[in-house]
Amino acid sequence: LHHGCTVVGVTGRAEKAATLARWGVAHPVNSGERDFADAVRSTVGQVDVVVDTLAGAEIPRTLSLLADGGRFIEIGVGDAIGAVSLDPKALFLRGQAFFGVNLGALMANENRLDRLLDRVTHYLAKGILRPVIDRTVPFTAAQEGHDRLRSRASIGKVVLVK
């Protein structure tokens, strides 16, 4: 939204789709009611950028939504590696790119993490990034926070605090 993008947001629950609409997402899709790939195709056709955090078996279907010259960004902790094989020739012929952001590797590289945190802090200070916090949970109840995330009931981030 910062750069004027038209955003299609996919979620598995009606209440989350309604929340996405309130946040300014132009095309919220409830994949619990409708196939997400069909919904995206019928709404906007193809997309220029995909930011995906789910990985797994849906990567090929999501890649099918990517326009020529498009960029696919997979954010995770390595699930994408064994979940699917990518065809570099097919990506090349369509001018597409697949970027993997391995959060585990990022967290292990202190210099890269510091640079990223500096940029995030800058965007937060300018109001460009406005995180949505579902709830805060004390470190002593971290399992409760993890359970909330796994249940997919959260809308926004679950933040651990002292």
Side-chain angles (χ1 to χ4, degrees):
L1 298 171
H2 169 62
H3 289 286
C5 299
T6 300
V7 176
V8 178
V10 179
T11 182
R13 298 179 183 213
E15 65 273 13
K16 287 187 176 186
T19 299
L20 291 175
R22 282 194 308 277
W23 290 344
V25 172
H27 305 287
V29 173
N30 178 358
S31 63
E33 296 175 353
R34 182 174 184 198
D35 178 79
F36 82 92
D38 291 342
V40 171
R41 260 189 220 92
S42 68
T43 303
V44 296
Q46 292 188 304
V47 298
D48 295 315
V49 177
V50 170
V51 178
D52 185 24
T53 59
L54 297 178
E58 297 299 335
I59 290 176
R61 293 189 40 201
T62 308
L63 269 171
S64 76
L65 299 169
L66 203 57
D68 290 351
R71 304 295 183 252
F72 191 110
I73 304 162
E74 180 63 40
I75 302 172
V77 289
D79 294 346
I81 301 300
V84 66
S85 64
L86 299 173
D87 180 357
K89 181 179 177 182
L91 293 171
F92 176 78
L93 291 173
R94 294 191 60 203
Q96 297 172 328
F98 183 95
F99 298 94
V101 179
N102 182 332
L103 295 176
L106 177 64
M107 297 299 283
N109 185 326
E110 191 172 328
N111 289 332
R112 281 183 65 200
L113 185 59
D114 284 346
R115 288 193 313 269
L116 177 61
L117 289 175
D118 286 345
R119 290 176 63 193
V120 169
T121 301
H122 171 78
Y123 290 136
L124 287 167
K126 289 198 165 281
I128 294 168
L129 286 178
R130 297 182 309 267
V132 176
I133 299 173
D134 179 77
R135 67 184 52 192
T136 58
V137 178
F139 273 104
T140 56
Q143 185 62 49
E144 174 189 328
H146 187 257
D147 292 345
R148 174 116 177 122
L149 290 171
R150 293 194 84 192
S151 74
R152 295 188 173 191
S154 63
I155 298 178
K157 301 300 175 195
V158 174
V159 179
L160 297 176
V161 296
K162 287 184 179 181

